[in-house]
Amino acid sequence: MNSEFIQLKKESLSAAHNTLAMAKACNGLDSAKFKIDDANHYHIMSTFDTKLPENEKHKKETLDNNRNKLAYTVTDIPPWYLCIFLGIQHYLTALGGIVAIPLILSKELCLTYDPLTQSHLISTIFFVSGICTLLQVLFGVRLPILQGGTFAFLTPTLAMLSLPKWKCPEWTQNASLVNASSPIFVEVWQSRIREVQGAIMVASCFQIFVGFSGLIGFLMRFIGPLTIAPTITLIALPLFESAGRDAGTHWGISAMTTFFIVLFSQYLRNIALPLPAYTRSKKCHFSKIYLFQIFPVLLGISISWIICHILTITNTFPSNPDSYGYLARTDVKGPVLMQAPWFRFPYPGQWGVPTISLAGVFGILAGVISSMVESVGDYHACARLSGAPPPPKHAINRGIGIEGIGCLLAGAWGTGNGTTSYSENVGALGITRVGSRMVIIVGGVLMLFMGMFSKIGAVFATIPTPVIGGMFLVMFGVIAAVGISNLQFADMNSSRNIFIVGFSIFSGLTVPKWVNNNVKLIETGIVELDQVILVLLTTGMFVGGFFGFFLDNTIPGTKEERGLIAWNEVHGEETEDSSDVYDLPFGIGTRFCTASWLRYNPSWPKPRKQSQESAQENGNMNNYIESHH
């Protein structure tokens, strides 16, 4: 057997060398090896598997199945008490990212010294995230995927609020001059958030149209990794000033927070802790849970928060507002807990009637496009981790359309942000091996209720500023790395691709910086046009994404070199599946609303009459075989 295997391996390696020589001769690209390494590796492993004894092959398959087996698949319904605990876990997983968004926006909205309003924004974004999650799981893509605020909208929003018209007055940056209840101050921050609301609501209409019209499939043909990588990377890179400003209020506390998050998420993530649990079979017992892997951000913030509180009550931190380290005290925003009501129901238009400007709409559109493409990738990843078949076209179209409706609702309620699919919670599916969408429904309901209890939002608004800065150092870095990771699909040994990526990212950093310092040089005399140009050119993700898109689609290059073939295998179109996973609930499309003209709706499930008939024929055949056996 060994001699046979060695001979087969030699033949496989010989075939690999022949393939490599042919590839070099055919196209002469910068790196032919890039294209066939994986294929050769798979071929050799497949040859080895075929020579395994039957009993060893069976053991290997059993081991692989047990390792990848899900506790609950997408259509399973766990016991109600498990649904509650698993829903809480998803809520806590999304906590860090959702809370961070209002805290980042607070300075540009002139709310630095109004923690009570910050708590209202936090409660509102949780409330809307709960609504959008329920809409997505019930009527959207129907996968167990959580919805929440998106960093893709932050960069254009901050660019819009940095316009001379919307820069905060100097007195709002002085704690002694701010009276949070005065009508003048209220109008200052509400006028700004109404402008953000209007831009998000109008831009979301584009996402609704792209989703329900099926246009997303057409757009994906021209958008590949060389466009997405600069766009997502430039979501985070321009935020280094915000992270540095918050972390700089006390570098010791910020470094400690970063240390804890890195320690838990990277060094201790594979360590399981025995925690008390209960099951019907084992009753009360201890079960090992990878706590550090699931809650690294929450644990890091909590420990730093507690240490800051200890240092505050012992007066280790200075009590003078002008002293370095004062913002590390936990009593700086303490009164907000007493001021916040126990119950507050967020409602549309709570900050007033939204206003609309052309500049804001065009800026947010860049965030909308980035969010859509990222969500398509999340759908496929979520399907794999939850035991569902690849999402068909109609489910993807419906999911993007529902996300657009979610952004519309977020704008109407006034969260200061939109909504998108949460990648963190997609990863949690793989950790917990629970892919049930009922768990996400429970998590959405939980977010809905938590958003109505203002005390909870007030608690998060009291997080010391340097603790937030330490969290930003990690989170923004990870977001930038997520963008760069998309380059794995392209051949980065190609000088063409290196040029496109490098030029796009560097332009996305350079152009906004120059425009901010030379605003008068781009004035055309038309105020509205000047605002549009200013917002677009100061939004790094738009500048970098535009150059990446333009250069990738105009500079000659093969699809394989551009990464489109590998990209489409993961994010592209999949074969249609007649699974019940993606059918609309309550019999919509199967028992009700089955008119023949609906088959032309790109977001409507395909008729399943033929598949049901074939299934019935197969069932009759199986019964016939069994009866004659």
Side-chain angles (χ1 to χ4, degrees), residues 198-388:
I200 291 174
M201 292 178 71
V202 175
S204 65
C205 294
F206 172 75
Q207 186 171 1
I208 294 172
F209 171 75
V210 168
F212 289 118
S213 67
L215 190 60
I216 182 66
F218 175 77
L219 293 177
M220 290 297 292
R221 297 178 185 176
F222 304 98
I223 299 176
L226 297 179
T227 302
I228 294 303
T231 303
I232 297 180
T233 301
L234 288 166
I235 291 174
L237 291 183
L239 297 175
F240 74 92
E241 291 185 358
S242 176
R245 181 176 59 247
D246 290 345
T249 55
H250 196 295
W251 278 107
I253 298 299
S254 300
M256 179 180 63
T257 305
T258 301
F259 167 77
F260 282 129
I261 296 176
V262 173
L263 176 67
F264 297 146
S265 64
Q266 303 302 321
Y267 293 99
L268 302 180
R269 60 181 178 178
N270 294 323
I271 296 178
L273 297 180
L275 297 177
Y278 176 83
T279 59
R280 288 184 179 180
S281 58
K282 297 182 180 180
K283 303 298 180 182
C284 292
H285 65 285
F286 283 90
S287 178
K288 290 186 177 181
I289 298 177
Y290 293 91
L291 196 66
F292 299 123
Q293 189 178 33
I294 300 173
F295 305 124
V297 176
L298 187 65
L299 289 173
I301 291 175
S302 300
I303 294 174
S304 297
W305 201 352
I306 292 171
I307 293 175
C308 285
H309 182 66
I310 295 173
L311 296 177
T312 299
I313 60 178
T314 57
N315 286 322
T316 304
F317 291 136
S319 56
N320 182 3
D322 297 327
S323 299
Y324 175 79
Y326 171 74
L327 292 178
R329 296 180 66 92
T330 54
D331 58 0
V332 172
K333 306 174 184 177
V336 69
L337 285 173
M338 299 297 296
Q339 298 171 5
W342 278 102
F343 181 85
R344 179 180 177 275
F345 185 79
Y347 57 92
Q350 57 185 332
W351 318 127
V353 179
T355 57
I356 299 173
S357 68
L358 198 61
V361 171
F362 276 96
I364 297 296
L365 275 176
V368 166
I369 295 172
S370 174
S371 175
M372 284 192 297
V373 177
E374 186 181 0
S375 292
V376 173
D378 288 336
Y379 295 161
H380 287 85
C382 184
R384 289 195 301 271
L385 292 173
S386 60

